[in-house]
Amino acid sequence: MPANPRFRRVVRNGPVQVATYYDGRGREKHTAACTAPRCGFSADYDSRTAAELAARTHRCRIR
């Protein structure tokens, strides 16, 4: 059973949070996740720049 990642350097950009963590193989990964209700957007990236770009350009779909 994989361990839960410990998020570091958590930054909020509008409704999207960007954080850094180490995956199960010890590689540094970056994630962007939207905290808006019923949005469901989240993605993992290899670079912090890509995750921050995704956070800045994310637009929640209206459901």
Side-chain angles (χ1 to χ4, degrees):
M1 183 163 116
N4 291 334
R6 299 184 111 185
F7 294 107
R8 304 177 293 117
R9 293 182 56 200
V10 178
V11 177
R12 189 172 186 99
N13 189 347
V16 182
Q17 287 185 338
V18 176
T20 301
Y21 70 98
Y22 288 104
D23 68 357
R25 296 184 178 191
R27 296 176 294 202
E28 189 174 67
K29 295 286 187 169
H30 310 277
T31 188
C34 186
T35 59
R38 300 184 320 177
C39 178
F41 168 77
S42 67
D44 291 331
Y45 298 95
D46 290 332
S47 70
R48 178 82 182 191
T49 306
E52 290 177 357
L53 178 64
R56 284 194 306 269
T57 60
H58 171 69
R59 298 291 177 257
C60 295
R61 292 187 304 180
I62 299 172
R63 292 185 178 180

